[in-house]
């Protein structure tokens, strides 16, 4: 090859101007300013029109902890509320490797293509708070769904406590519903507390499992199984088909031993393969009969009301607690009261009374 041409190849580093710093500090500042540049009504209009980039920006505001962002986010949520509540909300959990993302891709394509419904996928990933990198946020996951105009995928917000993250996800659900998403999937990893948080914000809870050699009922806590409205045995393909069916029967038997559910719904078991697509449409059939059954017996609306009530109570408790512990007079007194309790000078009850008395005398409403 001609050496001159070779040297001009884009594969070679050409001498020239020094590469500028990748991160322009002005850019970061400018970006932040941009988010609050528009009023809440502008966001509402974009969201209602189904503009995914405006929806994303609004969710970024929800996920932010900057006071100005939080304030605008709250305004957007208020405006979106009248248009919310009409979707079917599904929670999905299962240990890493069970096939959640592969399943969501297959199930999601069934929802958008065959059922012609709009689908939003949100995630709560407790590990992302520790590692700062969400294992549910990997861009290579759900490639087909990512490119589907009827789907919206949002990785897990990474900052804050589980309670904080759960609140952000609940608020994001409201925005997705206002944007016309009919099915909302909230994914979480089956390793800890996050299932309970997800269960508290969805209509239907799906547990993904695998068939194992004789240890079918191990690895997942009984409490999580009790929350499930359906248990899916994934990877029911190839050599694994019979084993998956055997596991399904074992789970069905185990579910019989649980007390009856408040909804009157009998949790279902089903095998499926996120690879071959076998059983995927049956999953929707199960959900559809859940919707019909619980709408008729009133449980669907009852559960939604209960969830709202729970949020009301939880946020009152949280705010009160925060207000109490942030109170300057309480802070001043706390240490000495604590010491007096530990040295048995006063009882813990008495100490609590004294602190509360101080609090009520010096409430700071700010
Ligand atoms: P996640 O960690 O729960 O999200 O699991 P992934 O969706 O990343 O899947 C974990 C592994 O299982 C990947 O290698 C998938 O290709 C594989 N997998 C997922 N679903 C199926 C299935 O239905 N059949 C088979 N044979 N493999 C699957």
């Amino acid at each position: 090859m001609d050496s001159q041409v070779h040297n001009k190849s884009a594969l070679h580093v050409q001498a020239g101007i020094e590469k500028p710093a990748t991160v322009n500090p002005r850019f970061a500042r400018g970006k932040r300013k941009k988010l609050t540049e528009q009023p809440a009504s502008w966001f509402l209009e974009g969201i209602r029109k189904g503009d995914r980039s405006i929806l994303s920006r609004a969710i970024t505001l929800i996920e932010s902890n900057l006071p100005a962002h939080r304030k605008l986010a709250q305004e957007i949520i208020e405006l979106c509320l009248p248009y919310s509540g009409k979707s079917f909300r599904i929670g999905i959990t299962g240990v890493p490797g069970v096939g959640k993302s592969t399943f969501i891709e297959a199930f999601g394509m069934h929802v958008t293509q065959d059922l012609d419904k709009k689908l939003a996928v949100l995630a709560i990933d407790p590990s992302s708070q520790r590692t700062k990198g969400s294992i549910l946020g990997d861009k290579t996951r759900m490639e087909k769904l990512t490119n589907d105009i009827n789907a919206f995928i949002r990785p897990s917000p990474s900052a804050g406590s589980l309670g904080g993250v759960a609140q952000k996800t609940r608020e994001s659900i409201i925005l997705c519903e206002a944007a016309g998403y009919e099915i909302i999937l909230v994914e979480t990893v089956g390793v800890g507390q996050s299932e309970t948080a997800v269960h508290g914000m969805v209509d239907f809870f799906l547990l993904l499992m695998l068939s194992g050699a004789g240890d079918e009922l191990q690895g997942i806590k009984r409490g999580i199984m009790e929350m499930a409205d359906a248990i899916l045995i994934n990877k029911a393909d190839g050599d694994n088909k019979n084993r998956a069916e055997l596991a399904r029967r074992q789970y069905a038997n185990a579910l019989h031993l649980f007390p009856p559910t408040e909804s009157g719904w009998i949790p279902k078991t089903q095998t499926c393969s996120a690879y071959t697509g076998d059983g995927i449409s049956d999953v929707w059939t199960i959900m559809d009969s859940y919707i019909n059954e619980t709408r008729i017996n009133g449980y669907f609306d009852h559960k939604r009301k209960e969830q709202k009530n729970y949020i009301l109570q939880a946020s009152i408790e949280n705010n009160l607690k925060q207000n109490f512990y942030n109170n300057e007079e309480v802070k001043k007194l706390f240490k000495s009261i604590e010491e007096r309790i530990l040295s048995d000078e006063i009882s813990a009850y008495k100490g609590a009374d004294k602190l509360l008395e101080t609090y009520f005398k010096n409430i700071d409403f700010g």
Side-chain angles (χ1 to χ4, degrees), residues 94-104 135-136 141-142 187 189 208 210 233-238 240 272-277 280:
V95 292
V98 71
K100 288 181 297 301
S101 27
T102 318
F103 171 80
I104 292 173
I135 53 169
L136 297 180
R141 300 163 79 239
M142 307 173 205
E187 177 190 9
V189 195
L208 244 63
L210 294 173
I233 323 300
N234 190 33
K235 308 198 187 181
D237 42 46
N240 208 28
C272 73
S273 166
Y275 261 6
T276 65
I280 296 293

Side-chain angles (χ1 to χ4, degrees), residues 94-96 190-192 195 207-209 215-222 224-225 251:
V95 292
V191 288
E195 293 85 355
L207 174 60
L208 244 63
M209 300 282 254
D215 60 353
E216 275 80 5
L217 296 180
Q218 289 174 28
I220 209 100
K221 289 188 203 86
R222 185 193 147 104
I224 295 174
M225 270 184 67
Y251 284 122

Side-chain angles (χ1 to χ4, degrees), residues 244-282:
E245 175 52 26
L246 186 66
R248 187 198 66 75
R249 270 187 253 142
Q250 285 175 332
Y251 284 122
N253 287 336
L255 287 175
H256 276 308
L257 303 175
F258 289 162
T261 55
E262 201 192 338
S263 57
W265 167 259
I266 299 167
K268 304 290 184 285
T269 52
Q270 169 78 38
T271 58
C272 73
S273 166
Y275 261 6
T276 65
D278 270 359
I280 296 293
S281 62
D282 298 319

Side-chain angles (χ1 to χ4, degrees), residues 32-196:
R32 214 176 277 160
K33 189 169 157 249
K34 247 196 216 155
L35 271 177
T36 47
E37 221 167 49
Q38 303 288 354
S41 55
W42 178 87
F43 280 95
L44 175 71
E45 201 181 309
I47 289 170
R48 292 290 295 149
K49 267 195 219 145
D51 185 321
R52 289 196 290 182
S53 112
I54 294 179
L55 173 63
S56 280
R57 282 169 67 180
I59 294 181
T60 304
L61 286 168
I62 287 178
E63 289 170 357
S64 166
N65 289 320
L66 289 180
H69 287 181
R70 290 292 308 155
K71 186 168 171 286
L72 180 58
Q74 289 308 318
E75 287 170 21
I76 299 169
I77 293 162
E78 288 299 313
L79 291 180
C80 285
L81 260 179
Y83 306 101
S84 72
K86 294 182 189 74
S87 77
F88 182 50
R89 306 167 183 167
I90 305 162
I92 174 165
T93 193
V95 292
V98 71
K100 288 181 297 301
S101 27
T102 318
F103 171 80
I104 292 173
E105 169 114 319
F107 178 73
M109 294 307 286
H110 176 61
V111 166
T112 59
Q113 303 300 309
D114 305 334
L115 306 175
D116 200 22
K117 288 182 191 295
K118 285 178 77 179
L119 170 92
V121 182
L122 307 173
I124 292 188
D125 175 6
S127 67
S128 67
Q129 286 148 42
R130 267 175 280 138
T131 60
K132 296 277 174 211
S134 169
I135 53 169
L136 297 180
D138 186 346
K139 289 233 165 50
T140 57
R141 300 163 79 239
M142 307 173 205
E143 254 170 74
K144 273 195 251 161
L145 213 52
T146 308
N147 293 316
D148 186 330
I149 53 157
N150 281 325
F152 175 79
I153 301 177
R154 182 82 183 186
S156 174
S158 61
S161 63
L162 175 60
V165 170
Q167 184 188 340
K168 290 172 198 296
T169 306
R170 263 194 227 105
E171 292 171 342
S172 303
I173 290 177
I174 294 170
L175 266 50
C176 289
E177 289 178 343
Y181 290 93
E182 298 147 291
I183 311 270
I184 315 268
L185 250 175
V186 185
E187 177 190 9
T188 193
V189 195
V191 288
Q193 283 285 303
S194 52
E195 293 85 355
T196 318

Side-chain angles (χ1 to χ4, degrees), residues 15-33:
I17 314 165
E18 215 173 282
K19 202 174 162 235
T22 341
V23 179
N24 176 350
R26 281 228 191 104
F27 175 70
R29 238 185 290 142
K31 204 173 161 197
R32 214 176 277 160
K33 189 169 157 249

